[in-house]
């Protein structure tokens, strides 16, 4: 597996030598036999993988089976460090085969453990449990505390993978007890790591952190970067649950450094995920950047589960920081795609195969045979009774009629023939039944009403690990506590009512784990001449199917939890535009439960106007086109803006069978855009138009003046001696004066005239359709007088005055000239003693402007 290099440059030779010496020292102290390359694999996994093939070939050529087993175990360890589970499983299997051939039970057990761990990582739990059970059996013959602890470690990992966290803690504690205080350090650290992980999953964060501290102390100077990274990662998870952001960041830095040392892209991705979770919603920019790096790495490594986990962490961050809608939609679509892919994979594991159907057919054949056996037994009993009656009649009539005697012998001979024929049929049927039952992989049983078993097929050894004779008497202690009562009731009902019944229950294997059994049972007449009834049943192992169904149900529950908590409408429609799936957000939008929407037509879910808006897009999606669009609707008395993304739903042959719809409520975003637009065009302090809005309005007014031929006027104003107010009374009082100045301007001009603030205490008034100069002079004089009243401020009443510069021009004057002429007029007014106005006529370019 190729991984990105996270730390540049080659390592110094002295450091490499020190690592190798430390690894060799650890191997020497380890009581379990290991090859030197197995310890080196902890720090240089890819180099070890590259060096192993010629060594393995040489060992095979020499016939050195023990050396071959050690090399394969080194390969399994290197594959484990780089997370190549198929490679680890193959290496563990080959190591076990070589060790068995070499007669080394310790190495054989190590191969089984490596194989089982890889099987668990590949979610092949049945195979992994079988291998661990075999490892336990072999350890009973050749005990080894380290390997016994390793088996318990594997059971602990399996337990919390299946959600049995309390059992995971129990297995870890048992492993620590078996290992003892002076046992293998790395094994002790792994057991403590598993216990901490299970404690954290149970919500015991403080206890988990203390356990991790013990693990760090036990690890000490042991050179195992992968294990050290796992401890920091677990500590980061607990710190995240506790809200300790600083500890998360420190752990993330340690993990990233170890990833660079291992040159392991997956560990580096986990470090970036830790950084992203630490940033959370307080620093969404950093959280987005780090989680995107983790997402890209997991996608490159084809880690669908990890990618799905990061997607579910990233989507709320992107929504919170208002990222681009297209980016959020792409993340949500990818999340749905991964969830479906994982769900389909889980569903495939639970599919019944041809062998299961064949076993059911065999079971039905066995039941038919037992029925036939009962019929033959009845015929035999009837034949014997008939023979007895004939014999009695012969004795009675022996002295009376010789003909009757001859007839009797003839009838007796015929009866014996029938009896012999029936007996031969019975024997042949029994031989065929025995052959079928003894070679069936299912558990075939005949039992009396008191629970005593008359026959148990040899498949009990493979299915349950027990010899058939060990199960002859009732063994209710082997039935799971939760299933014992229902199983007794089912047997009692079958005995009382007859017929057939299908019963599902769990029975304990000799190794200690439980096996799910599905039994097809039937009440039949007893085979012996004493009468009575029996139960015959055929049971098969459905553990894999039950676990797959449970995993599928859990996956569906998680997917539903995600979709129900995304603030968007997520739905699936068939080709007739009827709902096949709807998340819980529809309850908020339409007031309908998701279950009520299933089967409902799209037009019936919302308003008719909404359906008319989306209909064409839905039809395009059914034609195979992916579309995104925005719209507006009125729903429940409110006006909404929405954005929808329609994606065709294709079957395995590529035919469109419907589409997926993802709809976001973007009302708040649209309102924010409108607010931003207002902020960009109006002065935030006074509320009048700003320079930008004034410039736009001036250009439009000049254009209208050119078309109509009517002049316009621009009044340029500021507050006399405003700097003194700011310097002596402060900017807060200055702002109060500016606000009152703005209010008086607006109050003393027409509604169609525009008042704008250019900045500071500078304002302009734009007046269109000026008939004569006297009219605009009246406006200017009115504004000068309007400012004479004192302004009430927090510092007391203040007297202010204003100077006004007026520029009058036609549409032929450019904006810059008009503003410059008004500014010149303003300076003229100030030069005349302030508290007055001056008017100038603005001329087109090339003509000199005139004062008035």
């Amino acid at each position: 597996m190729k991984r990105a290099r996270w730390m540049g440059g080659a390592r110094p030779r002295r450091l490499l030598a020190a690592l190798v010496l430390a690894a060799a020292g650890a191997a020497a102290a380890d009581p379990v036999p290991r090859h030197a390359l197995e310890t080196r694999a902890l720090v240089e996994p890819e180099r070890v993988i590259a060096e192993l093939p010629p060594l393995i070939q040489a060992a095979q050529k020499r016939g050195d089976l023990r050396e071959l087993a050690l090399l394969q175990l080194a390969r399994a360890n290197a594959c484990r460090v780089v997370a190549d589970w198929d490679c680890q499983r193959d290496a563990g299997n080959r190591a076990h085969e070589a060790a068995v051939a070499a007669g080394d039970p310790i190495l054989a057990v190590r191969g089984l453990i490596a194989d089982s761990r890889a099987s668990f990582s590949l979610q092949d739990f049945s195979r992994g449990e079988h291998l661990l059970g075999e490892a336990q059996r072999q350890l009973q013959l050749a005990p080894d505390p380290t390997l016994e602890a390793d088996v318990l470690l594997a059971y602990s990992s399996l337990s919390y993978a299946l959600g049995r966290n309390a059992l995971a803690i129990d297995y870890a504690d048992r492993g620590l007890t078996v290992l003892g205080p002076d046992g293998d350090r790395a094994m002790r650290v792994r057991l403590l790591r598993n216990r901490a992980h299970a404690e954290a999953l149970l919500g015991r964060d403080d206890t988990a952190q203390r356990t991790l501290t013990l693990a760090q102390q036990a690890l000490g100077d042991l050179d195992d970067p992968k294990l050290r990274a796992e401890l920091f990662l677990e500590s980061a998870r607990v710190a995240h649950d506790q809200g300790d952001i600083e500890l998360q960041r420190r752990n993330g830095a340690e993990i990233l450094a170890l990833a660079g040392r291992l040159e392991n892209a997956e560990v580096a991705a986990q470090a970036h995920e830790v950084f992203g979770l630490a940033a959370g919603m307080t620093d969404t920019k950093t959280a987005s950047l780090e989680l995107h790096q983790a997402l890209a790495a997991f996608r490159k490594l084809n880690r669908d589960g990890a990618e799905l986990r990061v997607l579910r962490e990233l989507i709320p961050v992107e929504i919170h920081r208002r990222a681009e809608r297209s980016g959020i939609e792409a993340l949500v679509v990818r999340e749905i795609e991964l969830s479906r892919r994982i769900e389909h994979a889980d569903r495939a594991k639970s599919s019944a195969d041809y062998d299961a159907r064949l076993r059911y057919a065999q079971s039905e054949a066995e039941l038919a045979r037992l029925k036939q056996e009962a019929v033959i037994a009845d015929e035999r009993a009837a034949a014997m009774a008939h023979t007895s009656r004939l014999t009695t009649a012969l004795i009675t009539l022996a002295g009376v009629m010789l003909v009757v005697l001859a007839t009797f012998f003839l009838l007796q001979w015929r009866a014996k023939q029938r009896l012999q024929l029936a007996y031969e049929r019975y024997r042949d049927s029994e031989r065929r039944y025995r052959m079928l039952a003894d070679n069936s992989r299912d558990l075939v049983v005949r039992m009396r009403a008191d629970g005593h078993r008359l026959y148990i097929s040899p498949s009990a050894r493979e299915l349950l690990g027990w010899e058939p004779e060990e199960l002859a008497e009732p063994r209710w202690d082997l039935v799971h506590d939760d299933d014992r009562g229902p199983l007794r009731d089912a047997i009692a009902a079958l005995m009382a009512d007859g017929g057939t019944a299908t019963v599902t229950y769990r029975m304990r294997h000799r190794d200690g784990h439980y096996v799910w059994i599905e039994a097809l049972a039937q009440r039949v007449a007893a085979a012996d001449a004493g009468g009575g009834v029996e139960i015959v049943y055929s049971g098969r192992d459905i553990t894999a199917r039950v676990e797959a169904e449970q995993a599928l149900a859990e996956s569906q529950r998680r997917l539903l939890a995600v979709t129900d908590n995304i603030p968007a409408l997520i739905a699936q429609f068939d080709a007739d535009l009827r709902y096949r799936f709807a998340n819980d957000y529809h309850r908020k939008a339409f007031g309908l439960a998701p279950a009520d929407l299933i089967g409902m037509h799209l037009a019936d879910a919302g308003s008719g106007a909404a359906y008319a808006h989306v209909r064409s897009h839905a039809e395009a999606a059914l034609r195979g086109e992916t579309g995104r669009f925005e719209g507006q609707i009125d729903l429940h008395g409110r006006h909404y803006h929405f954005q929808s993304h329609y994606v065709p739903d294709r079957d395995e042959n590529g035919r469109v069978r419907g589409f997926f719809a993802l709809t976001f409520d973007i009302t708040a975003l649209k309102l924010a855009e409108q607010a931003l637009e207002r902020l960009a065009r109006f002065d935030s302090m006074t509320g009048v138009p700003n320079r930008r809005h004034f410039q736009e309005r001036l250009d439009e007014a000049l254009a209208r003046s050119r078309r109509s031929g009517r002049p316009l006027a621009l009044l340029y104003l500021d507050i006399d001696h405003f700097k003194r107010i700011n310097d002596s009374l402060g900017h807060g009082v200055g702002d109060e004066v500016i606000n009152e100045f703005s209010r008086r301007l607006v109050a003393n001009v027409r509604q169609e005239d525009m008042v704008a603030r250019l900045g500071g205490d500078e304002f302009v008034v734009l007046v269109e359709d000026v008939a004569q100069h006297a009219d605009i002079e009246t406006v200017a004089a009115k504004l000068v007088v309007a400012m004479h009243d004192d302004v009430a401020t927090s510092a007391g009443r203040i007297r202010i005055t204003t100077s006004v510069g007026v520029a009058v021009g036609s549409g032929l004057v450019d904006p810059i000239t008009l503003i410059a002429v008004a500014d010149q007029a303003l300076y003229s007014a100030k030069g005349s003693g302030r508290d007055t106005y001056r008017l100038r006529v603005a001329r087109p370019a090339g003509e000199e402007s005139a004062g008035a």
Side-chain angles (χ1 to χ4, degrees):
M1 180 184 297
K2 185 176 182 181
R3 304 185 308 281
R5 182 176 295 271
W6 294 95
M7 292 180 65
R11 294 185 178 88
R13 293 181 179 272
R14 285 179 292 178
L15 175 59
L16 179 60
L19 293 176
V20 173
L21 289 174
D30 191 349
V32 177
R34 303 178 191 274
H35 198 282
L37 286 176
E38 182 175 353
T39 310
R40 253 186 70 197
L42 296 175
V43 293
E44 297 180 319
E46 289 192 337
R47 291 189 182 183
V48 169
I49 291 173
E51 293 176 14
L52 278 170
L55 298 176
I56 291 174
Q57 187 175 7
Q60 290 173 333
K61 189 173 293 185
R62 293 195 311 270
D64 190 343
L65 296 175
R66 189 175 187 278
E67 176 72 6
L68 182 60
L70 289 170
L71 290 170
Q72 290 290 359
L73 288 171
R75 174 171 164 245
N77 200 29
C79 295
R80 177 187 64 82
V81 174
V82 300
D84 188 345
W85 313 124
D86 289 319
C87 170
Q88 181 185 351
R89 181 160 71 173
D90 177 70
N93 186 32
R94 292 176 183 274
H96 175 254
E97 292 175 350
V100 170
D104 192 322
I106 297 298
L107 294 183
V109 169
R110 291 198 62 213
L112 289 171
I113 294 173
D115 192 349
S116 69
R117 285 182 176 281
S119 297
F120 290 150
S121 297
L122 291 168
Q123 297 188 342
D124 190 351
F125 299 119
S126 177
R127 184 174 187 274
E129 285 186 297
H130 175 75
L131 293 170
L132 282 182
E134 179 62 21
Q136 282 185 309
R137 187 187 68 80
Q138 293 188 20
L139 282 173
Q140 292 176 353
L141 303 176
D144 183 279
T146 301
L147 295 183
E148 291 177 14
D150 202 3
V151 171
L152 292 169
L153 173 67
Y155 275 123
S156 175
S157 300
L158 174 62
S159 298
Y160 69 63
L162 297 176
R164 302 171 183 173
N165 300 312
L167 186 59
I169 294 174
D170 179 64
Y171 275 123
D173 289 340
R174 287 166 58 187
L176 291 168
T177 301
V178 169
L179 195 62
D182 300 323
D184 181 81
R185 272 201 298 165
M187 184 61 62
R188 174 175 296 279
V189 172
R190 291 187 175 95
L191 289 164
L192 289 170
R193 174 206 62 199
N194 273 28
R195 188 172 75 181
H197 184 71
E199 289 169 343
L201 291 175
L202 289 172
R204 307 173 189 170
D205 294 334
D206 293 337
T207 305
Q209 201 62 267
R210 287 195 295 272
T211 302
L212 286 171
T213 301
L214 292 176
Q216 293 280 10
Q217 293 171 353
L219 184 63
D221 59 352
L222 187 65
D223 193 19
D224 190 336
K226 184 73 162 55
L227 182 56
R228 196 175 296 274
E230 290 172 359
L231 291 182
F232 282 123
L233 181 61
E234 193 58 47
S235 178
R237 289 172 179 157
V238 177
H240 177 67
D241 293 339
Q242 294 176 323
D244 191 340
I245 296 176
E246 184 57 34
L247 181 56
Q248 291 182 69
R249 290 172 176 164
R250 290 202 305 270
N251 286 328
E254 295 286 355
I255 296 168
L256 192 58
L258 290 167
R261 182 180 174 190
L262 286 168
E263 301 177 0
N264 190 310
E266 183 171 12
V267 176
Q270 291 169 343
H272 287 298
E273 183 180 0
V274 169
F275 284 135
L277 290 177
M281 296 301 177
T282 59
D283 184 2
T284 54
K285 182 177 180 181
T286 301
S288 174
L289 179 63
E290 296 291 345
L291 291 176
H292 269 294
Q293 289 190 57
L295 185 69
F298 285 133
R299 182 175 297 180
K300 184 176 181 181
L301 295 168
N302 294 322
R303 297 286 187 269
D304 287 350
E307 183 184 351
L308 180 61
R309 182 183 67 246
V310 175
L311 274 172
R312 291 171 176 171
E313 296 160 354
L314 177 58
I315 289 172
V317 171
E318 295 295 78
I319 293 174
H320 185 75
R321 77 182 190 94
R322 299 185 182 277
E324 291 186 6
R325 293 187 295 274
S326 59
I328 296 176
E329 291 171 2
L331 293 175
V332 173
V333 171
R334 176 63 177 171
E335 190 273 342
I336 293 174
E337 177 188 338
L338 284 175
S339 298
R340 291 187 63 199
R341 182 189 301 170
I342 294 172
E343 177 185 347
H344 288 167
D346 292 340
R347 186 181 295 118
K349 293 179 181 177
S350 64
S351 299
D353 59 6
Y354 175 78
D355 288 343
R357 295 194 295 271
L358 179 60
R359 289 198 295 271
Y360 261 117
Q362 292 173 339
S363 300
E364 292 172 356
E366 292 162 3
L367 292 175
R369 194 223 55 81
L370 291 175
K371 289 181 181 179
Q372 184 183 17
E373 175 184 333
V375 171
I376 293 172
D378 290 341
E379 290 180 1
R380 182 180 63 180
M384 292 178 64
H386 183 60
T387 301
S388 177
R389 289 194 299 272
L390 289 177
T391 303
T392 303
L394 179 63
I395 295 172
T396 304
L397 299 175
V400 181
M401 295 179 61
L402 183 59
V403 175
V404 174
L405 181 60
T407 303
F408 167 75
F409 281 117
L410 178 61
L411 292 175
Q412 186 182 40
W413 178 79
R414 289 180 177 177
K416 286 182 178 181
Q417 288 293 103
R418 288 196 300 270
L419 180 61
Q420 183 66 31
L421 179 60
Y423 181 71
E424 289 297 330
R425 289 169 58 193
Y426 165 74
R427 294 290 295 177
D428 182 65
S429 176
E430 185 178 40
R431 282 193 301 271
R432 284 187 279 111
Y433 159 73
R434 288 285 182 177
M435 181 179 66
L436 181 62
D438 289 350
N439 290 280
S440 172
R441 294 178 60 188
D442 290 346
L443 182 65
V444 181
V445 176
R446 283 178 54 205
M447 60 180 289
R448 292 200 299 252
D450 59 2
H452 180 78
R453 296 176 178 85
L454 303 172
Y455 170 78
I456 303 170
S457 63
S459 58
R461 299 188 190 94
E462 180 181 355
L463 189 65
L464 298 171
W466 301 95
E467 292 297 325
E469 53 269 23
E470 293 178 293
L471 302 175
E473 294 300 324
R475 293 295 305 272
W476 290 105
D477 58 308
L478 299 182
V479 180
H480 194 280
D481 294 343
D482 296 341
D483 302 334
R484 200 171 294 157
L487 184 58
R488 289 181 185 271
D489 294 342
I491 292 175
L494 192 62
M495 282 294 186
D497 303 329
T500 60
T502 301
V503 186
T504 302
Y505 62 98
R506 286 162 287 184
M507 195 164 183
R508 191 172 73 244
H509 194 278
R510 179 184 285 275
D511 292 337
H513 65 276
Y514 281 91
V515 178
W516 280 94
I517 296 176
E518 183 179 70
L520 177 63
Q522 184 173 7
R523 190 189 74 177
V524 299
D528 54 44
V533 293
E534 298 175 355
I535 290 180
V536 294
Y537 69 85
S538 173
R540 62 181 182 127
D541 181 359
I542 61 167
T543 304
R545 190 189 78 189
V546 171
E547 291 176 349
E549 290 172 348
Q550 292 172 345
L552 177 59
E554 178 62 16
S555 175
Q556 291 173 335
R557 185 196 65 77
R558 288 196 301 268
L559 177 60
L560 193 60
V562 170
T563 56
D564 283 349
N565 287 282
I566 292 177
L569 297 175
I570 301 175
Q572 181 184 15
F573 296 90
D574 62 17
D576 296 324
L577 297 183
R578 297 190 179 277
Y579 278 88
R580 294 182 59 194
F581 170 79
N583 69 338
D584 198 63
Y585 202 76
H586 285 76
R587 191 191 306 274
K588 177 180 178 182
F590 302 129
L592 295 173
D596 297 334
L597 285 168
I598 304 305
M600 184 181 294
H601 195 275
L602 176 59
D604 301 328
S607 65
Y611 175 66
H613 190 85
V614 304
R615 178 178 179 179
S616 60
H617 300 285
E619 291 172 349
L622 292 177
R623 291 194 300 269
E625 301 172 14
T626 298
R628 184 180 67 187
F629 60 94
E630 294 183 359
Q632 304 177 43
I633 60 170
D634 291 310
L635 192 63
H636 304 313
R638 288 188 58 192
H639 187 71
Y640 290 89
H641 294 264
F642 67 88
Q643 183 186 80
S644 293
H645 192 107
Y646 286 179
V647 179
D649 178 20
R650 302 179 185 274
D651 61 18
E652 55 272 15
N653 297 319
R655 291 190 297 269
V656 177
R657 58 187 178 188
F659 65 95
F660 298 97
L662 178 66
T663 302
F664 289 94
D665 178 5
I666 60 172
T667 306
L669 180 61
K670 288 296 184 181
L671 293 177
E673 289 176 354
Q674 295 169 5
L676 287 174
E677 177 65 16
R678 176 171 180 79
L679 289 174
R681 298 170 64 83
F682 289 85
D683 179 54
S684 60
M685 185 170 76
T686 63
V688 300
N690 60 12
R691 181 184 293 273
R692 174 186 173 187
H693 194 177
F694 161 71
Q695 191 66 53
E696 294 171 351
R697 179 74 174 270
L698 178 58
D699 292 340
E700 295 169 357
L702 288 170
R704 284 192 293 271
S705 177
R706 284 194 296 273
R707 290 193 299 271
S708 67
R710 298 177 66 85
L712 52 76
L714 178 66
L715 287 74
Y716 207 130
L717 309 91
D718 67 2
I719 302 172
D720 294 334
H721 302 298
F722 180 73
K723 186 174 185 300
R724 294 178 187 175
I725 298 174
N726 269 345
D727 292 345
S728 60
L729 300 177
H731 290 279
V733 174
D735 289 346
E736 293 175 38
V737 171
I738 288 175
N739 276 315
E740 176 60 18
F741 186 81
S742 172
R743 188 194 67 76
R744 293 181 185 183
L745 287 179
V746 174
N748 286 279
V749 297
R750 299 176 303 179
Q751 186 175 1
E752 61 266 26
D753 297 335
M754 180 183 196
V755 176
R757 182 188 179 199
L758 301 185
D761 64 326
E762 295 182 353
F763 288 78
V764 291
V765 179
L766 180 60
V767 180
E768 297 187 55
D769 296 331
V770 177
Q772 53 187 352
H773 290 181
D775 295 337
I776 197 63
E777 287 183 271
T778 301
V779 175
K782 181 181 179 182
L783 293 177
V784 170
V785 173
M787 303 304 167
H788 286 169
D789 292 338
D790 291 349
V791 177
T793 70
S794 57
R797 301 187 69 82
I798 300 173
R799 184 178 184 279
I800 65 171
T801 60
T802 183
S803 299
V804 184
V806 183
V808 179
S810 68
L812 299 177
V813 180
D814 64 88
I816 296 176
T817 300
L818 188 64
I819 295 171
V821 170
D823 188 46
Q824 293 168 7
L826 173 62
Y827 274 97
S828 177
K830 287 186 177 292
S832 299
R834 294 183 170 83
D835 192 22
T836 186
Y837 71 90
R838 288 291 181 270
L839 184 145
R840 286 177 178 268
V841 177
R843 306 292 186 186
E847 299 181 20
E848 183 178 354
S849 299

